Structures are given as C-alpha cells and as structure tokens.
Amino acid sequence: MEHIELFFKAIFVDNMVFATFLGMCSYLAVSKKVSTAVGLGAAVIFVMAITVPLNWLLDTYILKDGALVWLGEEYASYDLSFLSFIMFIATIATMVQLVEIIVEKFSPSLYNSLGIFLPLIAVNCAILGGSLFMQSREIPNLGLAFNYGISSGIGWFLAILAIAAIREKIRYSNVPAPLRGLGITFIITGLMAIGFMSFGGMLTGGEEEKPAEETAQVETIEKANDLASNELEIKE
Amino acid sequence: MGLLSKKDAKLISDPLADNNPITIQVLGICSALAITAELKASIVMSVAVLFVLGLGNVVISLMRNIIPSKIRIIVQLIVVATLVIIVDLVLKAFAYELSKTLSVFVGLIITNCIIMGRFEAFALANGPWRSFLDGIGNSLGYAVILIIVGFFRELLGSGSLLGFKVLGDPIEKTGVYAFGYENNGFMLLAPMALITVGIIIWVQRSRNEALIEDN
C-alpha cells in the first residue's frame, strides 16, 4: 500500500514538471517531436531509477547526521550532510557517464536512440531534484527510494510526452505571431499544471479527516485524559 | 563606462533584453518558476545566481586550458557544487527562514542550465575578465525576469511587496480593499508563474519582431 501510494503521488500529485518545475530546460528544448521526447523520457526514467536508490544509500550510510556510526562509536557525532550536493551530483555525473559506456557496449541500437540525450541528463534538474527531494522527504527504505526514482521518472516522461504531442498538433493552429514557439508552450504548460493540480486532494483528503474525527471523540469521551496528554505534549 | 570597452559593455547589456537567458536562450527556467511567489525569494535567488555564475565563470575560464574536454562536465559540476554549498551555508547562517522557503532550489542552482550553458558557451573559450562580465550580464538578465515575475505574483497574489502590505489590509478592509478588491490567490500557485513568463515572452516578442519564431 505504501508503495502504491508513493507511486501514484510521485507521478501525479508531485509531478516533477507540473508541481515542482524541475527539468524544465530539457522539457522545453527537446519537446518539438514526440519521438525524441520519448527517447529523452526513457533515458530519464532509467537514470533516475539508478541514481535515487544509490544516493539514498550514500545519504543513509555516509552523509546523514550520525550515519557513520557503523564505522565505530566515535564517528556517531559526524554530520556530513553539507556535502550532499557535491556527492549527489558527482554520483549522477558518474552514473550517467557509466550508463553511456555500458549502453554503447551492449546495446548499440538503444545507444543510438538514447545516446545523444544521456549527456544532457547529467544537467537535468529533475534528476538532482529527485535525489534532493528523496533526502528532504526522508524516504525510509531502499525499496521506496527505488520506487520513488522510477515513478518520478515516469511522471516526467508523461509530461514531456504530452507537451510534445500538443506541440506537434499546435503547429497547424493560428497562434499569434509573438507567442509562437516558446510563449505558447509556456502557457500550455501552465494550463496543464492547473489540470494536474486537481490530483492534489486525492491522497491527502482521507488522511486529513481521520485525525479530526479521532480528536473529536477523545475530546467528548475523555476530556480529563485529553488535558493530561496535552500537558505532556507541551512539556515535550 | 570608462572601465569597459564597447564590446565588453555589450556583454552585460545584451543578456538583459535581446539575448535574455530565460526568455530567449531558454535556460534556467526551473528555479525561475518555482520560487517567484514572493519578491524577496526572487531577489535572494538572483543574488545567489549572480555570485555563483560570476565566480564560476572566472574559475572555469582560468582552468579552461587544463581541463581535459572528456571530463569537463564533471569538473564544471564540481566547481558549481562547491560555490553552491558556500551559498547554501551562508543562507542557512544568516537567513534561515528564507533558506527554508527556497528549500531544495538552492541546491538546484547546481543544475541550473544557465550556469552550465554559460560555462560551455562562453567561459571555456574566453578570458577571465570577459567571462566575469558575461556571468554578471547573464545573471542580471535572469534576475530581471525573476524580479518582474516575483513582483506581479506577490502584488496580485497577496497584495504586498517584500512583505509590506502596499494595497492595504485585506482583513480590516483598508486601502483598495475598501472598494471591494480581492487578492487573486491563484497567482500564488505555481502554474501562474508559467503563464506570467509566457506573457512576458509575448510582450517582449511583440516589441522586437526579430525574435519571433517561425513555429
């Protein structure tokens, strides 16, 4: 259930492009044709599925406050999280390079379709953003981190696929001259983002109701206990 | 500008309008959109980018002859990441609240395409002084758009500028609110940033016909 929720949330509710505006540069630059958009989207899913879990491991066992405790008790007080930017980006750049080499060696046809996009990905903010959000949302285990990587990638893929398809069609429309190209793409993306906002309440709606009901019950039935627990909370 | 030759001055003035990094070169969109709900955040972001791009361009330009071209992307990323860590730590120390609002977007300056784009296109081929000017010019061009977007979003969205309630108090119905004006909360939501930038592009291109794309 946890996995399904995270999967749905990363694709629709927190869509990389429409909710957080990550990876906009390549989203705007490479969305002129559906076929190239699909190539780049696939490469993003691929790289995110590798780098997010990898950075999760780095974060949990090296960078976090007290993460170095497995080396020995005296390392428990180390907090290297200020190094996370440089570590994450180094991992991403290296992985992209590595993936490029491996794909070129084992699957020349995939390399030909993805090849030119791979170097672009190292500077795609969606990839680094995925790792940074993974860190700031405190994803608890490796499986979920892997899930988060893949589903954020899929979200980005869907976004670029949709805009590429719209841009192919809009070529036949009569857009005001100064808006042609970039301008209209911006406005369409804005409208799509408004559309995606409707997913917003889907996962939070149920969660918000439950605690409210529970507290109401507690208030009516056990007022004294409630007061005591309130005091405890304040002390904490 | 006695200090700058005509060619050098052009490096600064060009990106402000006709070669703007955001509206023409399409670089660095992500951060421009995500943090512009408040004017203050946009200004801080602009200053951060000014620092990173100005200094980064100089560093890369100084190292341009010793970087092997195969690993230049990694070298560039390391230089930017170091500068960004400095910015991040300074923000956390002196403006903690603001660094919370900017959250991961300070980190994302690393992958801000303006920076990599200028490194690749300019700093790798030019001397340190010219690279410095190019860095300053481009980050000013970026700042102009950020500040215009931040200005309108904060003014129309929450009726204030830099946190001052310039339009009067919406609860006590003073200022323009006395006449039934309402804040447009929609402006604070992320999609309106895209549409605002779209409108800026529209205005800019209808003033300068040479920039119009042929689809």
Side-chain angles (χ1 to χ4, degrees), chain A residues 175-198:
Chain A
V175 179
L179 264 181
R180 259 177 222 156
L182 193 58
I184 195 72
T185 313
F186 264 99
I187 290 177
I188 292 171
T189 312
L191 295 176
M192 285 162 82
I194 292 173
F196 263 68
M197 279 168 57
S198 57

Side-chain angles (χ1 to χ4, degrees), chain A residues 20-25 28 82 85-86 89 93 97 122-123 125 128-129 132-133 136 171 177-183 186-187 189-191 193-194 197, chain B residues 23 26 28-30 33-34 74 77 81-82 84-85 88 104-105 107-108 110-111 113 116 186 189-191 194-195 197-198 201-202 205-206 212-213 215:
Chain A
T20 49
F21 298 124
L22 295 180
M24 274 309 238
C25 313
L28 291 167
F82 66 93
F85 293 159
I86 210 163
I89 198 69
Q97 207 96 55
V123 287
C125 7
L128 182 63
L132 289 176
F133 276 127
S136 70
R171 206 165 298 152
L179 264 181
R180 259 177 222 156
L182 193 58
F186 264 99
I187 290 177
T189 312
L191 295 176
I194 292 173
M197 279 168 57
Chain B
T23 60
V26 206
I29 313 279
C30 335
L33 300 170
I74 297 183
L77 286 173
T82 317
V84 169
I85 289 175
D88 189 43
V104 298
F105 290 99
L108 289 173
I110 299 173
T111 46
C113 343
M116 295 298 287
F186 209 52
L189 298 175
L194 281 163
I195 295 179
V197 176
I201 293 175
W202 191 359
R205 295 195 179 178
S206 47
I212 292 176
E213 291 172 55
N215 247 343

Side-chain angles (χ1 to χ4, degrees), chain A residues 203-215:
Chain A
L203 285 174
T204 51
E207 284 166 20
E208 276 165 9
E209 266 172 39
K210 262 191 191 166
E213 274 174 22
E214 279 168 15
T215 49

Side-chain angles (χ1 to χ4, degrees), chain A:
Chain A
M1 196 56 216
E2 216 180 1
H3 278 273
I4 299 170
E5 195 182 320
L6 185 74
F7 187 72
F8 186 79
K9 211 171 170 182
I11 293 182
F12 294 108
V13 182
D14 295 328
N15 186 292
M16 275 287 168
V17 174
F18 298 128
T20 49
F21 298 124
L22 295 180
M24 274 309 238
C25 313
S26 27
Y27 167 86
L28 291 167
V30 195
S31 61
K32 284 196 177 114
K33 272 170 66 190
V34 171
S35 53
T36 48
V38 168
L40 183 67
V44 166
I45 299 181
F46 193 55
V47 172
M48 275 195 113
I50 298 172
T51 56
V52 173
L54 212 63
N55 282 335
W56 185 86
L57 288 174
L58 265 180
D59 188 43
T60 324
Y61 292 109
I62 297 178
L63 298 171
K64 248 190 206 164
D65 191 9
L68 283 172
V69 74
W70 55 273
L71 275 177
E73 276 306 310
E74 67 269 32
Y75 294 99
S77 61
Y78 282 64
D79 179 5
L80 297 179
S81 51
F82 66 93
L83 284 177
S84 49
F85 293 159
I86 210 163
M87 291 290 272
F88 286 176
I89 198 69
T91 318
I92 290 169
T94 330
M95 280 319 296
V96 169
Q97 207 96 55
L98 208 65
V99 166
E100 196 181 346
I101 294 168
I102 292 172
V103 171
E104 189 180 8
K105 173 91 179 141
F106 289 104
S107 169
S109 62
L110 183 66
Y111 179 77
N112 285 334
S113 54
L114 289 187
I116 44 164
F117 298 120
L118 282 169
L120 258 181
I121 284 177
V123 287
N124 186 330
C125 7
I127 309 280
L128 182 63
S131 291
L132 289 176
F133 276 127
M134 175 273 297
Q135 190 190 30
S136 70
R137 285 175 192 166
E138 293 170 354
I139 287 185
N141 60 52
L142 188 60
L144 281 175
F146 181 63
N147 182 342
Y148 183 71
I150 285 199
S151 42
S152 310
I154 294 176
W156 199 87
F157 176 85
L158 282 181
I160 196 169
L161 187 63
I163 194 75
I166 293 177
R167 281 181 83 168
E168 278 198 355
K169 288 277 174 199
I170 214 164
R171 206 165 298 152
Y172 306 108
S173 319
N174 187 14
V175 179
L179 264 181
R180 259 177 222 156
L182 193 58
I184 195 72
T185 313
F186 264 99
I187 290 177
I188 292 171
T189 312
L191 295 176
M192 285 162 82
I194 292 173
F196 263 68
M197 279 168 57
S198 57
F199 288 110
M202 278 181 129
L203 285 174
T204 51
E207 284 166 20
E208 276 165 9
E209 266 172 39
K210 262 191 191 166
E213 274 174 22
E214 279 168 15
T215 49
Q217 280 174 355
V218 169
E219 267 171 24
T220 47
I221 300 166
E222 291 177 306
K223 261 190 182 171
N225 271 355
D226 192 26
L227 280 176
S229 67
N230 267 350
E231 273 174 20
L232 270 178
E233 275 175 24
I234 291 162
K235 271 178 197 166
E236 277 169 359

Side-chain angles (χ1 to χ4, degrees), chain B residues 61 64 119-127 131:
Chain B
S61 158
R64 69 184 187 281
F119 283 3
E120 285 280 310
F122 203 91
L124 279 177
N126 288 282
S131 302

